[in-house]
Amino acid sequence: MSAPNTATTEATTATSAPPRVLEARTLVELLQEHGHGPFTGVPCSFLGPVISCLEAEHPQEYVIAANEGEAVALAAGAHLAGRRPVVILQNSGLGNTVNPLTSLCHTLRLPVLLLVTWRGRPGHTDEPQHELMGRITPDLLTAMGVRNEVLPADPALLAQRLEAAAAHMAATGLPFAFIVPKGAIAPYGAPGGVRSTVPGPQLMKRAEAIGHIVSAMDPHPLLVATTGKTARELERDRDRPENLYVVGSMGCASSVALGVAMYAPHRRGGGRAGARAPPQRGGARGGWF
């Protein structure tokens, strides 16, 4: 009997047993043993252990993409070159993959394997920007012709499902997706239990860098912060009326800022004290600038 085509059916475990998790190295090794690679995509903490493993042990096989659509296109090119690529992405960026998945991979029959994290999974607490995409993730993949199922935690079962995924992709020429819930991957430990380090000066902490940037600004410029910890730390340490925290829409903060800069000419000149225009009404922030 074939496996279900959506993530709505999952194996059940005894209520007394803790949920099983998959070791990052085991997942990477299984994928490589089944001929998959290279890996490309946009980071997500749910797959952070896998990314850490790739960076530490297989850096030549991992390429960070600027956005999810670019990752799918890069993977399509890798497939054309004879490889069996894997695309890593957060489901909040799944919308960015619609064009290359439906008009490139589907049209030219370029199968790529997707590891899609499941933020906003129904019944699980998450940030509000993940609620809608979490609810529709399996259905959206199915609507795009991408067969999908939840990533198994058992290595033996995963090996079987990788074989099934490979057979599906070979028979149809279409992508296949494993949906990765929160906590499905165990924290990564480098070989020998010691994380490899690169000699040299320590990198500046993100919060420290944010503090330096804000301190160097004039008092009233508008500041658009990208999603994730950048926005959270800015709000925590340097909250101000001129800040806009772009929750969700990963990769779009610079475009939001460009739109403001282009169409708020009264704020040009840096918004220095004495040059600040009266607040304007309208929009979600109702008078942000």
Side-chain angles (χ1 to χ4, degrees):
M1 181 180 294
S2 61
N5 190 33
T6 73
T8 56
T9 302
E10 302 178 47
T12 59
T13 58
T15 57
S16 59
R20 296 194 63 173
V21 295
L22 192 65
E23 295 293 332
R25 187 180 294 109
T26 299
L27 174 56
V28 172
E29 289 175 350
L30 280 170
L31 287 166
Q32 292 181 325
E33 288 170 5
H34 284 78
H36 293 290
F39 300 77
T40 183
V42 178
C44 174
S45 61
F46 286 13
L47 284 168
V50 174
I51 294 171
S52 295
C53 179
L54 291 169
E55 290 179 329
E57 302 181 32
H58 310 282
Q60 74 285 354
E61 284 288 284
Y62 176 55
V63 179
I64 300 176
N67 61 64
E68 296 81 3
E70 179 184 73
V72 172
L74 192 156
H79 177 80
L80 289 169
R83 300 295 303 274
R84 298 175 66 186
V86 179
V87 177
I88 295 172
L89 69 144
Q90 184 180 124
N91 63 328
S92 61
L94 191 57
N96 291 335
T97 70
V98 171
N99 183 25
L101 283 175
T102 59
S103 66
L104 175 62
C105 293
H106 187 277
T107 303
L108 300 183
R109 290 301 195 265
L110 303 175
V112 298
L113 185 66
L114 308 173
L115 296 180
V116 183
T117 62
W118 201 356
R119 292 183 178 271
R121 182 183 182 185
H124 295 72
T125 302
D126 210 325
E127 298 292 328
Q129 66 268 25
H130 299 307
E131 187 273 331
L132 176 57
M133 184 57 81
R135 175 156 42 89
I136 68 173
T137 290
D139 291 340
L140 179 57
L141 286 165
T142 300
M144 291 190 291
V146 178
R147 182 173 176 177
N148 59 92
E149 59 187 68
V150 172
L151 181 76
D154 179 68
L157 179 57
L158 175 58
Q160 295 176 12
R161 300 315 305 153
L162 284 172
E163 292 176 3
H168 172 77
M169 290 188 288
T172 65
L174 298 175
F176 188 101
F178 285 106
I179 302 177
V180 184
K182 182 178 182 179
I185 311 296
Y188 170 72
V194 178
R195 186 178 295 276
S196 60
T197 59
V198 178
Q202 292 293 316
L203 295 176
M204 183 181 296
K205 298 291 186 181
R206 178 181 48 248
E208 184 181 359
I210 292 171
H212 283 300
I213 292 170
V214 176
S215 295
M217 296 187 333
D218 290 313
H220 301 298
L222 305 177
L223 185 58
V224 179
T226 191
T227 188
K229 291 186 177 180
T230 298
R232 295 173 197 164
E233 292 177 356
L234 177 64
E235 182 180 28
R236 180 194 68 197
D237 300 335
R238 303 278 182 150
D239 190 32
R240 49 201 282 276
E242 294 86 358
N243 292 354
L244 177 65
Y245 308 106
V246 182
V247 297
S249 303
M250 187 163 56
C252 295
S254 60
S255 297
V256 172
L258 176 61
V260 173
M262 292 176 64
Y263 300 108
H266 57 282
R267 289 307 306 264
R268 292 176 182 169
R272 292 177 173 80
R276 190 180 185 193
Q280 302 296 303
R281 295 295 174 185
R285 289 293 292 257
W288 176 49
F289 58 84

